[in-house]
Amino acid sequence: TQLKVTAGSLDVHPTEKALVVQYEVEASILGENGGPMLGERKEGQKIIRVKSLSPTTDVAALARKVVEECKLIPASRLPQVEQLLYYLQNRKSSPVEKEKKTVKPKDLTPFEGTELNEEASITKMDEYVELLYEGLPEKIRGSGLILQLARNPDNLEELLYNEAALGALARVLREDWKQSVELATIIIYIFFCFSSFSQFHAAVSHYKIGALCMSVVEHELKRHDMWREELRKKNKSAPENGSLRRDQDKTLRKYQALLAKQEQLLRVSLYLLLNLAEDTRTELKMRNKNIVGLLVKVLDRDDEELLVLVVSFLKKLSIFLENKNDMAELDTVERLARLIPCEHDDLLNLTLRLLLNLSFDSGLRAKMVEVGLVPKLTALLGDENNRQVAMRLLYHISMDDRFRGMFVYTDCIPQVRHDPLPFIVTERTHSSCLLLGAFPVLGNGLKMLMKNISQHDGPTKPLFIDYVGDLAAEIRAVEGEVWILECLGTLANLTIPDLDWELLLKEYNLVPFLKDNLKPDSAEDDLILEVVIMIGTVSMDDACAVMLAKSGIIPALIELLNARQEDDEFVCQIVYVFYQMVFHQATRDVIIKDTQAPAYLIDLMHDKNTEIRKVCDNTLDIIAEYDEEWGRKIQSEKFRFHNNQWLDMVESRQVDESEPYLYDNDERTDLFYSADGITPGDGSVSPDFFGDLQSQNGDSHLTGDVGDVFDQTSSSPGRPVTAYGFRPDEQLFSQYS
């Protein structure tokens, strides 16, 4: 046999201080005449770690040493090695990677009993494999030496190609794992080393190590139950004499020794399974073999490193509904509750994150309250490392009406009062205890909650009446745009009949503020939009509508409409202001006779946005009822639009009878002005004819009931939604992650 090694590319390791050498091994079998008969090529990779490399290292000397000791790198590549080492010396670790570092189980350290005095060598693998065919002590020694080699990642690829060794290890594990916990631990540890790298998972699965580990874990948990039962019986006998007490102490020591070894075996087995569970198909196989039940049972143990591993595994599994349901049936929350709080920081954080995943289930939230987690979580609000996840958990629990009252009896409200809450958008917070308990001494966090609480109908909205003066004063006194935005949004949500808006506008001189902030470039769009929404809210009051109309706000709104005509949110809310104002006689006359608002509304009558069309139709119906001239113009435009649709359809059919009816009503129609207003495009059809077509074309007309969409008789009229299907002041999502 002839071996030929050819060096390939040379590069730096992407994350470690190391060089990566690619090489190719060509093995040939020589014939009788010395020529090659059979040949095989395999590619390999060697990682040369240079942990001693520091800013003060002599790179040239280190490069020479690397070339001398690594036979795969020819001397001619010394300059390249030196250049790569210089790059490694100056490469900085990415701060982003540090920030994204997550809590995970610590790497396995050598277990007690797995360390041997002799040093293993990769060249003696055949000897170690032979030991696997001897007695139990020899098997333990042979597998222990192979473990030494496997713990060095550089050896894994070579070990992978030694099928005889891996096959023998898998056979010994399958046949002898019940006879020796130590032997089972060592061999599973060897395969765990392979499982730490995704590219070796296929090999681990090939030898069915995952299924064996499931059997090992299940068997060991049953043995543990037997040990505990035996210990319980010994303790129950209540020894009176010294011999029985000595026997009991001996049993306890034996149990503790067995428990320590068993937990080593469980830890390495479960860690291997966790690595293999990267593949969801493999994870599904584990679930079918009751991995959730086994893991939950281990939660009763006291070994913190084992618990970190188990909770990590359960957290990974909990994102799937089926696994979450299994955990619900197995009293997982009760078992986790005992771990809060605990001294182990990683275990505490992982437990909280697992509970957060489970808290999306209402039944499990109830269980968390039942086992007393609310005061425990509240106590963690003072812990910077766990504050955010504890807050999210408390928020989830507060979503249930029946549990909100519990927060009054904890320190939760005082602690969140000054919290900036960067991770919560309160979509559903209604709790009056939060509002009344925190509003008088507003902190930064609850300032952002007020607007969200105020948007919900119910008992909380009237509670704001006592504080509208404070909010209005803040609008004029504070310079911070974000805070003004929240105050405006809160006031705009207060569609309460008992609120005297006229007094509020006068006392705090808000009309000039509203008008000044309607100018297109006067502020950020979010603030301008809140001003428009605020005007729509106060326009429900007759006196306020008159005050706003006289101040010249309607022309300012029209100017803003021209500037933001492509923004559906602005268009919809401005049209809603017009809709509110046409209900009042004084402002109706101003809109109809002194402005071009009706013309703009006609222009928007056929807008592609459904909500805008809906508000326009209702507003124009009211205008048409009270003003005959505009009524004729509106009727003419409606007919002209429908007539154009019909003509387009006929023309399309004449071009090609096989074509479907093609017409487009997605574009805003241009207005045609004549001396007496808007007329049909060709002027050939009488507008009176349009009245006969209304019912069949689906256009509503004002017949006394104008409240189909926006009911003014309601104490809290609905604000129009935008093209996005929600109110501009409504929060869509809660930020959890």
Side-chain angles (χ1 to χ4, degrees):
T1 303
Q2 183 181 30
L3 292 177
K4 181 181 178 182
V5 181
T6 306
S9 63
L10 181 62
D11 205 347
V12 297
H13 194 281
T15 58
E16 298 181 29
K17 284 186 179 180
L19 298 177
V20 180
V21 185
Q22 306 289 346
Y23 63 91
E24 184 181 80
V25 179
E26 183 179 359
S28 303
I29 299 177
L30 302 179
E32 294 180 357
N33 58 359
M37 295 179 57
L38 295 173
E40 184 180 359
R41 291 184 179 184
K42 288 186 179 181
E43 293 182 350
Q45 172 182 291
K46 183 173 181 61
I47 299 176
I48 306 171
R49 290 178 172 81
V50 284
K51 294 181 180 179
S52 61
L53 184 64
S54 68
T56 59
T57 301
D58 184 348
V59 173
L62 181 61
R64 288 193 297 272
K65 184 178 180 182
V66 169
V67 173
E68 288 172 5
E69 295 187 1
C70 183
K71 304 304 181 184
L72 294 173
I73 305 176
S76 60
R77 303 183 75 171
L78 177 62
Q80 184 183 1
V81 174
E82 188 173 337
Q83 184 180 6
L84 293 174
L85 289 174
Y86 180 76
Y87 170 78
L88 283 174
Q89 188 181 43
N90 293 276
R91 183 174 68 179
K92 295 181 179 179
S93 58
S94 170
V96 176
E97 291 177 3
K98 291 181 181 178
E99 289 175 8
K100 291 185 177 179
K101 185 179 180 182
T102 55
V103 177
K104 65 177 184 179
K106 294 181 180 178
D107 292 334
L108 288 170
T109 53
F111 294 130
E112 183 182 351
T114 62
E115 290 290 276
L116 299 174
N117 293 327
E118 58 183 306
E119 186 175 345
S121 171
I122 194 73
T123 59
K124 298 181 179 179
M125 272 298 298
D126 292 341
E127 297 178 19
Y128 306 153
V129 173
E130 289 178 6
L131 291 173
L132 299 177
Y133 292 90
E134 304 294 333
L136 199 59
E138 290 78 11
K139 289 177 181 177
I140 292 175
R141 175 171 170 264
S143 58
L145 290 165
I146 295 173
L147 175 59
Q148 278 190 33
L149 299 172
R151 288 183 56 211
N152 182 351
D154 294 343
N155 296 326
L156 287 177
E157 194 159 10
E158 190 167 345
L159 289 173
L160 183 68
Y161 293 131
N162 195 329
E163 296 181 3
L166 294 183
L169 287 167
R171 176 188 58 79
V172 172
L173 178 63
R174 208 164 30 244
E175 295 175 356
D176 299 333
W177 66 267
K178 289 184 181 180
Q179 297 181 31
S180 171
V181 172
E182 185 179 353
L183 178 62
T185 302
I186 294 172
I187 296 178
I188 293 175
Y189 200 154
I190 294 170
F191 284 103
F192 160 76
C193 294
F194 284 98
S195 74
S196 299
F197 300 91
S198 300
Q199 61 265 40
F200 298 139
H201 283 188
V204 179
S205 300
H206 172 72
Y207 293 104
K208 302 187 184 305
I209 303 302
L212 266 174
C213 285
M214 291 287 294
S215 300
V216 169
V217 172
E218 185 176 7
H219 176 77
E220 292 301 322
L221 291 178
K222 289 179 180 177
R223 287 179 65 187
H224 180 253
D225 290 340
M226 292 171 55
W227 294 343
R228 292 185 65 178
E229 180 63 22
E230 182 181 346
L231 190 63
R232 188 188 64 80
K233 290 179 179 178
K234 293 278 186 183
N235 292 335
K236 192 176 180 181
S237 62
E240 295 294 335
N241 54 56
S243 62
L244 288 175
R245 182 170 290 125
R246 284 193 298 273
D247 186 41
Q248 184 186 25
D249 292 341
K250 182 180 177 181
T251 303
L252 180 61
R253 287 194 299 271
K254 179 183 176 183
Y255 167 74
Q256 290 172 342
L258 290 172
L259 187 64
K261 289 186 176 181
Q262 188 187 68
E263 287 181 343
Q264 291 178 355
L265 177 57
L266 289 175
R267 188 175 168 215
V268 70
S269 301
L270 291 174
Y271 210 153
L272 183 146
L273 291 171
L274 176 59
N275 288 341
L276 294 182
E278 287 180 6
D279 186 342
T280 53
R281 293 169 298 180
T282 304
E283 184 178 304
L284 179 59
K285 293 178 182 177
M286 294 181 192
R287 182 193 175 271
N288 293 336
K289 293 191 175 185
N290 192 32
I291 184 65
V292 175
L294 298 177
L295 290 169
V296 171
K297 205 168 183 180
V298 181
L299 286 176
D300 295 329
R301 301 294 182 106
D302 295 321
D303 183 272
E304 290 181 333
E305 293 303 328
L306 178 60
L307 288 171
V308 167
L309 176 62
V310 170
V311 175
S312 298
F313 207 155
L314 286 170
K315 176 174 167 289
K316 180 184 186 303
L317 295 170
S318 66
I319 63 174
F320 292 100
L321 178 65
E322 298 83 357
N323 296 331
K324 184 267 298 178
N325 291 339
D326 289 347
M327 294 179 203
E329 295 174 2
L330 295 168
D331 298 329
T332 307
V333 171
E334 291 88 331
R335 287 178 159 95
L336 292 172
R338 76 178 184 90
L339 302 177
I340 299 177
C342 67
E343 297 296 326
H344 197 290
D345 292 338
D346 290 349
L347 178 57
L348 177 58
N349 188 265
L350 283 166
T351 303
L352 290 171
R353 293 182 181 279
L354 171 56
L355 286 169
L356 181 62
N357 286 358
L358 299 178
S359 67
F360 287 89
D361 183 289
S362 59
L364 290 174
R365 287 199 298 272
K367 188 66 71 174
M368 291 175 195
V369 174
E370 182 183 321
V371 297
L373 275 180
V374 172
K376 289 184 176 182
L377 294 172
T378 301
L380 290 173
L381 292 177
D383 180 355
E384 284 300 320
N385 294 329
N386 299 298
R387 180 183 182 85
Q388 292 192 10
V389 65
M391 183 75 75
R392 293 167 186 169
L393 263 167
L394 289 168
Y395 170 67
H396 278 192
I397 294 172
S398 72
M399 284 168 35
D400 292 309
D401 294 337
R402 52 189 169 153
F403 303 137
R404 288 190 188 127
M406 297 190 63
F407 288 84
V408 179
Y409 306 104
T410 68
D411 294 331
C412 183
I413 294 172
Q415 292 201 57
V416 300
R417 189 176 288 166
H418 304 290
D419 191 277
L421 299 183
F423 40 82
I424 294 181
V425 177
T426 50
E427 181 186 0
R428 296 186 48 203
T429 304
H430 307 281
S431 178
S432 59
C433 71
L434 275 176
L435 179 63
L436 294 177
F439 194 90
V441 280
L442 274 173
N444 292 332
L446 287 175
K447 288 176 181 177
M448 287 187 282
L449 300 184
M450 288 164 33
K451 176 182 170 185
N452 305 101
I453 298 173
S454 67
Q455 78 183 38
H456 301 285
D457 296 325
T460 54
K461 203 170 255 189
L463 295 172
F464 278 91
I465 291 180
D466 293 336
Y467 304 105
V468 291
D470 297 329
L471 291 168
E474 290 287 311
I475 291 173
R476 299 312 307 266
V478 179
E479 295 183 0
E481 189 169 294
V482 175
W483 178 219
I484 293 175
L485 185 69
E486 299 300 326
C487 291
L488 266 176
T490 303
L491 286 173
N493 286 333
L494 302 181
T495 50
I496 307 170
D498 298 334
L499 189 54
D500 191 342
W501 284 109
E502 182 186 15
L503 178 63
L504 192 72
L505 294 182
K506 286 181 178 178
E507 185 168 340
Y508 294 96
N509 197 27
L510 290 179
V511 174
F513 169 84
L514 297 175
K515 185 178 178 182
D516 291 343
N517 282 281
L518 280 179
K519 297 174 183 176
D521 298 321
S522 61
E524 294 292 330
D525 281 359
D526 287 344
L527 181 60
I528 298 174
L529 182 61
E530 288 295 348
V531 169
V532 175
I533 295 171
M534 174 76 171
I535 293 171
T537 299
V538 301
S539 295
M540 293 166 50
D541 184 279
D542 185 71
C544 288
V546 173
M547 188 189 310
L548 293 171
K550 288 181 178 179
S551 70
I553 271 183
I554 296 175
L557 286 169
I558 293 175
E559 181 186 352
L560 181 62
L561 182 61
N562 280 326
R564 298 287 188 272
Q565 59 183 322
E566 300 301 324
D567 191 319
D568 284 351
E569 287 191 57
F570 272 98
V571 172
C572 193
Q573 297 301 336
I574 292 171
V575 173
Y576 179 69
V577 174
F578 294 155
Y579 169 77
Q580 290 285 8
M581 288 190 168
V582 296
F583 271 99
H584 313 294
Q585 179 64 43
T587 51
R588 186 188 309 126
D589 292 341
V590 173
I591 287 178
I592 293 174
K593 297 177 181 178
D594 300 339
T595 72
Q596 286 296 313
Y600 280 94
L601 291 171
I602 290 174
D603 191 21
L604 294 168
M605 214 165 63
H606 311 299
D607 191 89
K608 60 185 178 182
N609 188 300
T610 306
E611 297 299 329
I612 293 175
R613 291 201 307 269
K614 197 181 295 182
V615 186
C616 280
D617 284 345
N618 283 273
T619 309
L620 289 171
D621 285 344
I622 299 172
I623 293 174
E625 181 184 15
Y626 288 101
D627 189 282
E628 292 183 3
E629 183 180 351
W630 275 112
R632 288 195 300 272
K633 293 176 183 179
I634 294 166
Q635 194 177 53
S636 296
E637 172 58 21
K638 285 186 176 182
F639 177 72
R640 187 190 68 80
F641 178 75
H642 284 279
N643 193 39
N644 284 344
Q645 284 186 319
W646 174 257
L647 291 174
D648 290 344
M649 183 187 69
V650 171
E651 289 175 2
S652 299
R653 292 192 64 183
Q654 288 174 349
V655 172
D656 187 355
E657 287 292 330
S658 65
E659 290 285 333
Y661 295 162
L662 299 176
Y663 57 90
D664 182 11
N665 87 359
D666 279 347
E667 296 188 7
R668 296 177 181 173
T669 310
D670 294 329
L671 298 180
F672 294 85
Y673 289 92
S674 64
D676 56 350
I678 302 172
T679 60
D682 56 5
S684 59
V685 183
S686 168
D688 296 333
F689 178 70
F690 180 73
D692 298 331
L693 298 176
Q694 287 177 6
S695 59
Q696 59 186 334
N697 284 294
D699 287 299
S700 61
H701 188 68
L702 194 64
T703 59
D705 181 12
V706 296
D708 292 341
V709 181
F710 305 103
D711 184 7
Q712 284 292 325
T713 63
S714 169
S715 62
S716 178
R719 182 169 296 147
V721 295
T722 66
Y724 309 103
F726 63 96
R727 297 199 304 273
D729 61 320
E730 182 178 358
Q731 301 292 346
L732 280 184
F733 301 104
S734 293
Q735 299 173 356
Y736 300 126
S737 83

